[in-house]
Amino acid sequence: MIDEKEQTGLIGLAIGAAVMGLISGQTPINRESLIEELQKLGRQKGDGVEDEVFVKAAQLVSKGL
């Protein structure tokens, strides 16, 4: 189990990875595309920890926080 500080850092990294994926795919960056990219990345991982991090990151972005 990861602590809250570590999870916060991983969420930031997940959002950064999603942004880099959108940039490399030349996809416009907006809330919807960012959420879709986070969900896609979360499905690609699959060891449980990354899935949870990407889900929480997508929830954070969808709330606009």
Side-chain angles (χ1 to χ4, degrees):
M1 192 73 189
I2 56 177
D3 64 21
E4 188 175 332
K5 187 174 180 180
E6 185 178 2
Q7 185 175 26
T8 301
L10 291 173
I11 288 171
L13 290 172
I15 292 171
V19 169
M20 294 303 292
L22 293 172
I23 290 170
S24 67
Q26 298 182 343
T27 304
I29 299 172
N30 56 48
R31 183 178 289 166
E32 293 78 24
S33 65
L34 188 52
I35 292 169
E36 288 174 12
E37 186 70 12
L38 285 165
Q39 291 170 339
K40 182 181 90 174
L41 290 171
R43 285 190 301 268
Q44 288 176 350
K45 297 299 177 197
D47 77 351
V49 175
E50 288 89 356
D51 282 341
E52 180 182 342
V53 168
F54 282 103
V55 167
K56 288 190 184 238
Q59 289 171 344
L60 206 69
V61 171
S62 69
K63 291 179 183 177
L65 301 176

